[in-house]
């Protein structure tokens, strides 16, 4: 079709037929599948966030539900689908990208506030309507904000344990990672996982409320506590897991078959006893928490990384809430050895950057380098450094 816009890389839904650039995704069948499931569950609107069940900043392909449903691949956004409308909210970094990736099934909302999402939902969903979402993909704060936005409106916020996007995605959804979870050698950590566990238990005893357990949902919390690493999420040395640490027991929820022989041996070296790690299936965390909180217990958690789904399992009077768990607080204070390792890593990285700047001085005047080949070259220089496990995020490369 003829393109009235001066740009031909963004969609134009005002023409008939609409103009879509080759970067746009056809989402008609995906939306139809989701709406069929919504009808089955009595949902008049369904909210899809860009997060995973651990409130991670970066997510794996398997958790890219927003990307699959909308075609939009930016790192932050929220989608809402009703019986006949679909809208995406994202911030100004991504407006042009969204116009290139969305098809005309989607309205682009140029804001990210929950108030504006709530107002849109109230316009689109009749009174007595159900607004559904997966409570295991929303932070406690976000859930409360939606609850407040809809409060007194005659609409119900209805949590669904089944994720409807996952159901619509079906067997096309990427499989979970099967790569090895490995132990970080002692030369990098400065303290054993047993010492770290003892330190956290000490904090539990010293706390005025004497919590009986600490629940860890943030992926870096469990990785740090047990000196384990993985690569389930690009640019992040983490693996899918939860931990429930009590005064006398340690439950690690993880795909056990993925642990390296050395990692397994390290975790089971204190069995039986208070330093024995009980390995439980990753999917069992909710059931275990439900069982544990039937007793006379107090669970300490960090609200920044815990989903509303897990939080809702624990009776209010048995909760000790702080922004960050004691593990996140301990992890933030680096021991002398960790500080030394950090400095050494920065020196190695500086060598790669200096090599890169020298290479740019030689190659740019010859007109032989662009932003993409430049980014590839610095990645290669970093990989060549000892102990490199890859960059910490995709190169953001620009000139001029």
């Amino acid at each position: 079709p003829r393109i009235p816009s001066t740009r031909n890389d963004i969609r134009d839904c005002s023409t008939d037929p609409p103009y879509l650039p080759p970067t746009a995704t056809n989402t008609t069948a995906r939306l139809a599948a989701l709406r069929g499931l919504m009808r089955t569950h009595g949902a008049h609107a369904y909210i899809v966030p860009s997060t995973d069940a651990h409130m991670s900043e970066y997510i794996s392909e398997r958790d890219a539900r927003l990307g699959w449903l909308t075609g939009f691949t930016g790192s932050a956004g929220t989608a809402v689908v009703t019986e006949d409308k679909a809208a995406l909210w994202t911030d100004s970094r991504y407006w042009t990208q969204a116009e290139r990736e969305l098809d005309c099934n989607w309205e682009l909302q140029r804001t990210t506030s929950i108030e504006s999402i709530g107002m849109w939902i109230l316009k689109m969903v009749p009174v007595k309507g159900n607004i559904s979402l997966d409570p295991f993909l929303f932070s406690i704060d976000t859930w409360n904000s939606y609850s407040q936005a809809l409060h007194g409106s005659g609409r119900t916020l209805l949590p669904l344990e089944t994720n409807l996007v996952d159901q619509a995605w079906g067997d096309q959804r990427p499989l979970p990672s099967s790569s090895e979870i490995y132990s970080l050698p002692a030369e990098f950590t400065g303290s054993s996982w047993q010492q770290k566990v003892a330190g956290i238990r000490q904090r539990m005893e010293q706390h005025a409320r004497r919590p009986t357990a600490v629940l860890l949902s943030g992926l870096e919390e469990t990785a740090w506590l047990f000196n384990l690493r993985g690569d389930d999420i690009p640019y992040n040395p983490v693996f899918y897991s939860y931990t429930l640490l009590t005064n006398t027991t340690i439950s690690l929820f993880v795909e056990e078959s993925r642990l390296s022989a050395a990692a397994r041996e390290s975790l089971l070296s204190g069995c039986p006893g208070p330093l024995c790690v009980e390995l439980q299936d990753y999917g069992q965390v909710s059931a275990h928490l439900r069982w544990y909180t039937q007793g006379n217990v107090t669970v300490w958690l960090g609200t920044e990384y815990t989903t509303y789904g897990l939080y809702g399992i624990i009776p209010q009077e048995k909760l000790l809430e702080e922004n960050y768990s004691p593990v996140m607080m301990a992890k933030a204070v680096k021991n002398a050895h960790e500080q030394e390792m950090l400095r050494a890593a920065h020196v190695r990285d500086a060598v790669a950057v200096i090599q890169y700047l020298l290479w740019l001085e030689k190659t740019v005047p010859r007109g032989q380098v662009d932003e993409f080949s430049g980014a590839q070259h610095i990645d290669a220089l970093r990989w060549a450094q000892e102990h490199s496990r890859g960059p910490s995020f995709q190169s953001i490369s620009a000139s001029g």
Side-chain angles (χ1 to χ4, degrees), residues 145-311:
S145 301
Y146 278 113
S147 190
Q148 219 172 331
L150 300 170
H151 181 72
S153 70
R155 282 89 169 166
T156 307
L157 197 56
L158 180 72
L160 290 178
E161 302 262 323
T162 320
N163 188 291
L164 301 189
V165 174
D166 293 354
Q167 280 198 312
W169 203 344
D171 56 12
Q172 297 299 300
R173 186 179 176 211
L175 293 168
S177 174
S178 57
S179 62
E180 190 174 72
I181 298 166
Y182 58 94
S183 285
L184 200 61
E187 67 201 79
F188 293 105
T189 62
S191 56
S192 69
W193 70 259
Q194 290 90 341
Q195 289 169 316
K196 292 177 178 181
V197 164
I200 301 305
R201 282 177 169 159
Q202 198 179 348
R203 287 181 181 226
M204 289 161 70
E205 274 171 38
Q206 290 166 350
H207 198 287
R209 281 197 53 200
R210 300 298 288 268
T212 60
V214 174
L215 175 66
L216 306 179
S217 290
L219 297 181
E220 61 269 47
E221 297 179 290
T222 290
W224 177 85
L225 184 64
F226 296 112
N227 293 332
L228 295 175
R229 298 291 184 268
D231 61 359
D232 292 11
I233 297 177
Y235 312 110
N236 289 261
V238 295
F239 52 92
Y240 288 106
S241 55
Y242 294 96
T243 300
L244 188 71
L245 172 66
T246 77
N247 299 317
T248 54
T249 64
I250 309 165
S251 299
L252 170 59
F253 301 87
V254 69
E255 207 50 66
E256 189 182 337
S257 61
R258 296 180 49 206
L259 292 165
S260 71
R264 214 186 129 79
E265 201 180 313
S266 158
L267 295 171
L268 302 179
S269 59
C271 297
L275 286 172
C276 170
V277 179
E278 281 174 49
L279 298 171
Q280 302 216 35
D281 192 66
Y282 172 76
Q284 288 302 305
V285 66
S286 298
H288 185 86
L289 199 55
R290 226 172 242 116
W291 166 82
Y292 178 75
T293 52
Q294 284 170 5
N296 180 23
V297 298
T298 304
V299 180
W300 190 1
L301 54 79
T303 53
E304 288 289 320
Y305 290 86
T306 309
T307 63
Y308 184 82
L310 279 185
Y311 171 83

Side-chain angles (χ1 to χ4, degrees), residues 39-111:
R39 284 191 289 277
T40 306
H41 287 84
H44 300 94
Y46 193 67
I47 308 174
V48 182
S50 54
T51 52
D52 67 7
H54 303 272
M55 303 291 104
S56 307
E57 182 183 358
Y58 293 80
I59 57 170
S60 70
E61 279 188 7
R62 182 174 168 79
D63 284 318
R65 297 172 178 91
L66 184 81
W68 176 79
L69 182 66
T70 65
F72 170 69
T73 60
S75 69
T78 302
V80 182
V81 177
T82 67
E83 288 162 2
D84 56 0
K85 291 266 190 288
L88 172 81
W89 284 257
T90 191
D91 64 79
S92 57
R93 292 173 298 167
Y94 292 121
W95 292 344
T96 303
Q97 180 178 339
E99 294 287 11
R100 298 182 66 183
E101 293 181 330
L102 297 176
D103 66 5
C104 292
N105 287 313
W106 292 90
E107 297 172 15
L108 174 61
Q109 304 286 336
R110 289 174 161 76
T111 164

